[in-house]
Amino acid sequence: MDKTQYKDVYVFVEQRDGQVQKVAVELLGKARELADCLNEKVVAVLLGYEIADKAQELIAYGADVVLCADSKELVQYTTEPYAQAITQVVRERKPSIVLIGATTIGRDLGPRLSARLETGLTADCTGLDISDDRDLLMTRPAFGGNLMATIICKAHRPQMSTVRPGVMRAKEKDESRMGTVEMLNINFDKSKFKVKVLETVKEQKNKIDITEAKVLISGGRGVGSTEGFAALEKLAGTLNAEVSSSRAMVDAGIMPHDRQVGQTGKTVRPNLYFAMGISGAIQHLAGMEESDFIIAVNKDKYAPIFNVADLGIVGDVKKVVPILTERLAALTKNGK
C-alpha cells in the first residue's frame, strides 16, 4: 500500500435528532492536535437529514473541512446506509486517520467500516498520539485493565480508532475559525437496506447523565446496599450532585449500568468527585482519574484510591456520609 496517498484526520460526527453529540466535539479537539502534528487538516464527516446548519459549529470546534451528506436515508442511524456513506467517503478521499466515538452507534459502525475497508480498528482508546514515523499511536487498556497497550496500524490505511465519550477534552469553541463545507452526494445501494426503523421510544429520565455532571458522588463495596446509596442521594441533594457507582454495585443489582464509572462503564471528568467506599482498582481509576478534585473515603488507609485522591478520609463511609450531609446542609441553609 502506498501510504503517501493517505492524509488528513477524519472525525465521524455523531448526531442524534439533529443535535451534535458531545463525543464528536471531544474528538474534533483531539483530531486538531493530531493534525497539527502531521501538518494536515481536520475533516468532519457529518451525516443526517437537514443538518447542514451544524457545519459551522464543527468548524468552530476545530474542523478545517466539513463533508456533509444530507439525505433522507440518513435521518436516523441504521447500519447499512451509514456504513455505505462513510465507506464511499473514505475510498474516494483516502484519509490517514478516522476517529469514531465509542458509543452504541460508534461500536456498531466502526467494525463494519473496518471490515469493508480492510484495515484495523483499535477500540476504546484512552490515548492517541503521533509517532516519529507519522503513525497513529493508539493506547487502550488490555488484559482487564491490568496494563496499557499501544497499538500501531503499520501496513494498512486508514488508521481507525474508537474513543469513549469523556476521555478526550473538548477544545474551546472559536467562532472566528474559518473552514469550508462540501455537500456530498452518496450513491446508496438500497437493495442492501434490510432494516427499517418503525418507531423510536425514548426512556424518560429525570437524572442528568453522569458524564455531564459537575459533581459526582460515587459508591462502592463500602456503601454496599440500597440504604447506603439512599444516604448518598441525601448527600447529593446538598451539593446538587449526581450519584454514580463502581462496577461491583452494578453487578450486585443495586445500581443501573448507566450510573457505572470505570473501564466497562463511563468515563467522567467532574469538577468534584467523591469516591465513597471505593478501593480504587485500576478499572475504576480509568474512568475518573481525570476529575479536577477527588475526595476519597475508605476504611483501608492503604486503598489505592488514596494515590489519586486530592483529599482522603480514613473512616467508615456509613459514619462519614451522614455527618458530611448534616454539615453541608447546615452550610447551605446559612447561605454559604
Side-chain angles (χ1 to χ4, degrees):
M1 173 177 283
D2 182 5
K3 293 191 289 187
T4 60
Q5 295 181 29
Y6 294 79
K7 67 176 183 177
D8 298 333
V9 182
Y10 280 46
V11 174
F12 167 64
V13 177
E14 183 175 326
Q15 58 82 21
R16 302 189 187 208
D17 298 327
Q19 297 300 312
V20 173
Q21 299 298 290
K22 186 179 177 183
V23 67
V25 176
E26 294 167 354
L27 290 180
L28 284 171
K30 189 62 184 180
R32 182 73 270 156
E33 293 178 14
L34 300 175
D36 288 345
C37 287
L38 295 166
N39 197 25
E40 295 178 351
K41 293 180 179 179
V42 174
V43 180
V45 182
L46 177 62
L47 309 183
Y49 182 55
E50 297 181 343
I51 40 77
D53 61 327
K54 302 298 180 183
Q56 189 57 47
E57 179 183 352
L58 303 179
I59 292 170
Y61 279 117
D64 298 303
V65 179
V66 179
L67 303 178
C68 181
D70 200 297
S71 172
K72 285 186 177 180
E73 287 82 2
L74 302 169
V75 64
Q76 286 181 302
Y77 177 81
T78 50
T79 305
E80 189 60 30
Y82 271 67
Q84 283 190 25
I86 299 179
T87 298
Q88 285 184 39
V89 170
V90 171
R91 285 176 176 166
E92 291 173 6
R93 307 276 178 150
K94 291 184 169 53
S96 174
I97 296 169
V98 176
L99 304 180
I100 301 171
T103 61
T104 51
I105 287 176
R107 285 171 172 161
D108 177 73
L109 179 63
R112 284 169 168 78
L113 293 176
S114 174
R116 295 181 190 204
L117 297 169
E118 298 182 334
T119 189
L121 172 70
T122 305
D124 281 352
C125 291
T126 56
L128 299 171
D129 207 345
I130 301 297
S131 73
D132 293 338
D133 296 327
R134 297 173 65 84
D135 290 316
L136 181 63
L137 302 174
M138 299 170 280
T139 301
R140 70 178 306 278
F143 294 100
N146 292 308
L147 60 84
M148 303 299 287
T150 298
I151 298 167
I152 303 175
C153 184
K154 277 281 188 184
H156 298 276
R157 291 292 183 271
Q159 303 160 97
M160 291 180 57
S161 169
T162 63
V163 181
R164 273 199 291 175
V167 171
M168 303 300 175
R169 287 191 181 273
K171 298 293 185 185
E172 291 292 328
K173 193 174 185 180
D174 182 0
E175 299 283 5
S176 67
R177 289 196 81 255
M178 303 294 288
T180 58
V181 180
E182 297 182 39
M183 301 304 295
L184 301 178
N185 183 29
I186 304 297
N187 297 314
F188 292 106
D189 182 356
K190 295 184 181 179
S191 67
K192 294 183 178 179
F193 291 4
K194 304 299 183 183
V195 175
K196 183 178 181 180
V197 178
L198 300 179
E199 182 183 10
T200 301
V201 179
K202 294 185 178 180
E203 181 183 1
Q204 295 297 319
K205 293 183 179 180
N206 296 322
K207 293 184 177 180
I208 298 172
D209 189 314
I210 61 173
T211 61
E212 303 288 339
K214 299 298 183 184
V215 181
L216 268 180
I217 300 175
S218 205
R221 293 183 191 276
V223 175
S225 66
T226 303
E227 293 76 16
F229 275 91
L232 294 190
E233 289 284 358
K234 288 183 180 179
L235 175 59
T238 68
L239 293 167
N240 194 25
E242 293 296 316
V243 175
S244 54
S245 78
S246 66
R247 177 174 176 172
M249 296 296 94
V250 174
D251 290 346
I254 294 172
M255 291 290 283
H257 185 263
D258 67 353
R259 299 272 110 183
Q260 180 186 332
V261 173
Q263 184 184 334
T264 55
K266 294 183 177 181
T267 300
V268 297
R269 292 175 181 267
N271 296 336
L272 177 59
Y273 186 88
F274 286 88
M276 300 297 200
I278 293 173
S279 64
I282 190 171
Q283 292 88 343
H284 185 78
L285 297 182
M288 47 65 70
E289 61 186 346
E290 293 297 321
S291 303
D292 290 342
F293 197 88
I294 299 169
I295 298 174
V297 180
N298 200 291
K299 287 194 294 185
D300 179 8
K301 66 180 180 180
Y302 299 109
I305 192 68
F306 290 126
N307 294 328
V308 298
D310 297 285
L311 177 64
I313 300 173
V314 178
D316 187 343
V317 69
K318 294 175 183 177
K319 295 180 180 178
V320 172
V321 168
I323 296 171
L324 188 57
T325 303
E326 183 182 343
R327 295 285 180 86
L328 288 172
L331 289 172
T332 303
K333 186 177 180 180
N334 294 329
K336 295 183 180 180

